[in-house]
Amino acid sequence: MGYGEVSGNQSVHWKMVHENPVSRKSAARAKTRQSNDAGAVDDVIRGRDPIPYENIGVKGGHKGTFRVTLRFDTRTQAVAAALRLGKIKKVNEKYLLVVDVPAINRPSPDVDPPAEVQVEW
């Protein structure tokens, strides 16, 4: 289990969290260290790209935005997701668009496949 985050804050901050299902610790209490599956505690890896806010998305042609790319196993899944466009939730006076992207079951765990969810800045 786990999650990742990317946020702008006068630069770009990112965080990936591996939550150990045995310890069930919250990310707020997790120790920051390199990820390894043998760890008995949650693993949190953080980073910061010091890119100026004004340059976010410039290289990719989507200035001022994070581009999120979602990969689907079939065209049918992609079309269904595009049509329903996810769920909109209001949290702290802001709006969240939540899209469920199915995990792709690949034949080999040893390959480095393209990600189902990719964030570009």
Side-chain angles (χ1 to χ4, degrees):
M1 297 188 303
Y3 65 92
E5 300 177 345
V6 177
S7 58
N9 185 14
Q10 300 303 313
S11 61
V12 175
H13 297 258
W14 56 268
K15 174 172 71 172
M16 296 292 165
V17 177
H18 170 258
E19 298 171 306
N20 186 318
V22 176
S23 70
R24 306 290 291 179
K25 286 176 52 178
S26 71
R29 296 186 329 233
K31 293 182 180 177
T32 300
R33 61 187 177 93
Q34 288 293 336
S35 177
N36 65 35
D37 289 339
V41 298
D42 295 344
D43 295 312
V44 179
I45 300 174
R46 301 171 189 267
R48 178 178 170 271
D49 182 341
I51 183 174
Y53 173 81
E54 298 78 24
N55 291 343
I56 291 174
V58 168
K59 183 178 178 184
H62 48 91
K63 183 177 178 169
T65 66
F66 293 107
R67 175 168 288 167
V68 179
T69 302
L70 310 176
R71 184 178 308 275
F72 295 90
D73 202 24
T74 67
R75 177 175 167 73
T76 302
Q77 289 175 332
V79 169
L83 289 174
R84 74 174 174 270
L85 211 56
K87 303 170 200 139
I88 297 175
K89 296 170 31 175
K90 187 174 183 180
V91 177
N92 297 329
E93 303 302 317
K94 300 292 181 188
Y95 294 90
L96 308 178
L97 175 62
V98 179
V99 179
D100 293 327
V101 178
I104 296 173
N105 188 11
R106 295 178 172 87
S108 173
D110 299 327
V111 298
D112 187 14
E116 281 85 339
V117 178
Q118 176 185 352
V119 179
E120 178 183 300
W121 61 84

